[in-house]
Amino acid sequence: MPVVIKKILAWGFLAFLIYFMAFRPDGAAQVFKGIGGALMAIAQGLGDFLTGLMS
């Protein structure tokens, strides 16, 4: 993908993110809580896997 298109998409995503947070803060908070919870579950699963390998 050309660099120009990547930059346009990145700036568009950033603009949408700022707009979403400014006009729908409760919805944005729920989205980020969900993402954080998923990342924590992945980290916990990886930790459990590595603990299982070591024992």
Side-chain angles (χ1 to χ4, degrees):
M1 187 177 324
V3 175
V4 175
I5 294 174
K6 285 183 183 180
K7 284 185 180 182
I8 291 171
L9 290 175
W11 281 108
F13 177 74
L14 183 63
F16 173 75
L17 186 63
I18 291 170
Y19 176 82
F20 185 56
M21 288 175 19
F23 291 101
R24 297 287 307 248
D26 293 334
Q30 291 299 321
V31 168
F32 283 105
K33 281 183 183 178
I35 292 170
L39 290 175
M40 289 298 294
I42 291 169
Q44 182 67 43
L46 181 62
D48 292 344
F49 172 73
L50 293 174
T51 300
L53 284 178
M54 296 299 182
S55 59

